[in-house]
Amino acid sequence: MMKKKVLGLVISNRKLGNSEILLKEIMKSIPEECDCELIRLTELKIEPCTACYVCLQEGKECKLTDDFNYVFNKIKQADALLIGVPIYLLGPHGYYKMLTDRVLGSVKLAESTAGKPCILVIPFGIKGWEGYTRAAVQVLPRLMQMKLIDCWQVEATLPAESLLQAGNLEYAQSLGKSLFKADAYQPGIRECPFCGSDLFRLGTDRRIECPICGSEGFLQDDNIPLWPDPEQSRFTAANLEEHFNGWLKEMKHKFHEEKAQLKEVQRPYRDDDWWVKP
Ligand SMILES: Cc1cc2nc3c(=O)[nH]c(=O)nc-3n(C[C@H](O)[C@H](O)[C@H](O)COP(=O)(O)O)c2cc1C
């Protein structure tokens, strides 16, 4: 039988830091023999998206000649994805967002990734400085329609410190042991039940909105949110299809139709060449 492939993305430059050793511990604990591969994303070249939208077209890859397509194809081929991403200045490490921005062709990627297990491991240095991370990290696995097994925020400042804390070694091992048989992570009652975000936009009359998946709910008398309609989440397969294959492609047509008019708007700014570079 073919061995399953497990890919670990380490989004930290720190060698043998918390992201790296926790991912390795999870990998070592998988009961069946797997092909394990690690990519330290911060060592690769991931350039900013140029907004050309080529990746939305059938059979077309991103045109940028950096390492993105390599990572994209590795993610596609993997049977499970582990991501270790530390908190930097109240959010996930910037490379996580760089990668997420490049996954515009996510509906195509989801043909390979949907339903496959994904674990997020998120080391952070100090309680109260987690910021918006938990909300922000949901986007990538949800776009890929993966089965998010856990979104583990681990308090640890120093490299490897996470494994000095009681219980963390065992927890990492339990994640590895159940990687291919665990149910999807169940968000708590104070998290968005559809995407797991723990941040909400406050409206009038007790209404709240999840800024990540766009679902709308309201706060009940006990302050526990109620979310009536799961189909509102932008991350359902149907809503993602409608956004990326419907709305975005329509925008591309609109752009071609209105190109001349848009160029006219740009014209007075064309010669304002105040750019500087080091
Ligand atoms: C530039 C930088 C910014 C950081 N910002 C935060 C932060 O906002 N909140 C926090 O809890 N920890 C913060 N940390 C601490 C790291 O999240 C923590 O050391 C973590 O264990 C690093 O994971 P690693 O060992 O996998 O690199 C920061 C660390 C660095 C280097």
Side-chain angles (χ1 to χ4, degrees):
M1 212 172 69
M2 285 265 286
K3 281 195 271 180
K4 287 191 175 131
K5 290 183 198 300
V6 179
L7 176 67
L9 290 182
V10 176
I11 310 187
S12 165
N13 243 349
R14 191 144 78 161
K15 306 291 175 313
L16 296 171
N18 296 298
S19 308
E20 178 179 336
I21 62 169
L22 290 171
L23 256 51
K24 285 180 172 171
E25 189 55 46
I26 295 173
M27 284 174 156
K28 279 178 206 269
S29 309
I30 303 169
E32 60 199 271
E33 210 191 315
C34 292
D35 275 333
C36 291
E37 288 185 329
L38 285 166
I39 294 177
R40 190 183 301 284
L41 202 71
T42 49
E43 281 177 351
L44 304 190
K45 197 165 140 207
I46 304 287
E47 289 180 359
C49 171
T50 59
C52 71
Y53 299 103
V54 162
C55 62
L56 293 178
Q57 294 171 24
E58 221 35 69
K60 296 248 172 95
E61 282 195 335
C62 179
K63 294 278 174 226
L64 287 174
T65 53
D66 60 1
D67 294 318
F68 172 72
N69 285 329
Y70 173 80
V71 177
F72 190 85
N73 287 320
K74 284 286 181 193
I75 293 176
K76 261 165 91 171
Q77 289 154 12
D79 296 297
L81 178 65
L82 313 177
I83 305 177
V85 51
I87 296 183
Y88 271 19
L89 295 169
L90 306 173
H93 189 296
Y95 254 64
Y96 187 78
K97 177 70 169 133
M98 290 291 278
L99 179 68
T100 306
D101 289 356
R102 295 287 297 280
V103 183
L104 196 65
S106 63
V107 174
K108 280 192 316 192
L109 178 59
E111 287 167 11
S112 308
T113 52
K116 288 180 179 171
C118 174
I119 294 176
L120 290 165
V121 177
I122 307 161
F124 68 101
I126 175 167
K127 271 212 165 68
W129 280 74
E130 300 92 329
Y132 60 92
T133 311
R134 195 175 192 86
V137 291
Q138 304 295 329
V139 179
L140 183 60
R142 303 293 175 192
L143 285 176
M144 298 191 287
Q145 300 174 43
M146 298 193 83
K147 178 165 83 164
L148 187 62
I149 304 287
D150 206 345
C151 180
W152 182 25
Q153 290 193 184
V154 195
E155 191 183 352
T157 309
L158 309 174
E161 198 187 0
S162 50
L163 288 184
L164 287 180
Q165 319 285 342
N168 284 343
L169 178 71
E170 295 73 16
Y171 193 73
Q173 289 170 342
S174 72
L175 287 175
K177 278 183 198 144
S178 62
L179 178 65
F180 286 108
K181 50 180 199 274
D183 291 330
Y185 160 76
Q186 287 305 313
I189 53 170
R190 293 181 193 281
E191 293 169 350
C192 171
F194 313 120
C195 76
S197 165
D198 62 349
L199 294 182
F200 303 112
R201 194 166 285 135
L202 205 52
T204 52
D205 302 327
R206 294 179 159 268
R207 277 182 293 128
I208 51 171
E209 186 196 353
C210 170
I212 302 303
C213 75
S215 298
E216 288 176 3
F218 58 89
L219 281 180
Q220 304 175 100
D221 288 341
D222 56 4
N223 282 332
I224 303 294
L226 190 75
W227 306 90
D229 182 5
E231 297 311 312
Q232 277 184 358
S233 166
R234 72 178 105 246
F235 296 120
T236 64
N239 289 346
L240 286 171
E241 170 72 22
E242 149 61 24
H243 178 75
F244 288 99
N245 274 341
W247 187 84
L248 264 182
K249 282 188 179 165
E250 255 173 50
M251 279 302 116
K252 185 137 190 163
H253 290 304
K254 189 166 183 259
F255 173 65
H256 287 297
E257 279 168 23
E258 296 180 10
K259 212 169 173 178
Q261 198 188 348
L262 294 169
K263 272 199 175 340
E264 270 311 294
V265 177
Q266 289 172 328
R267 204 167 48 85
Y269 306 97
R270 184 143 295 140
D271 299 327
D272 295 337
D273 255 334
W274 300 314
W275 303 110
V276 288
K277 271 187 185 172

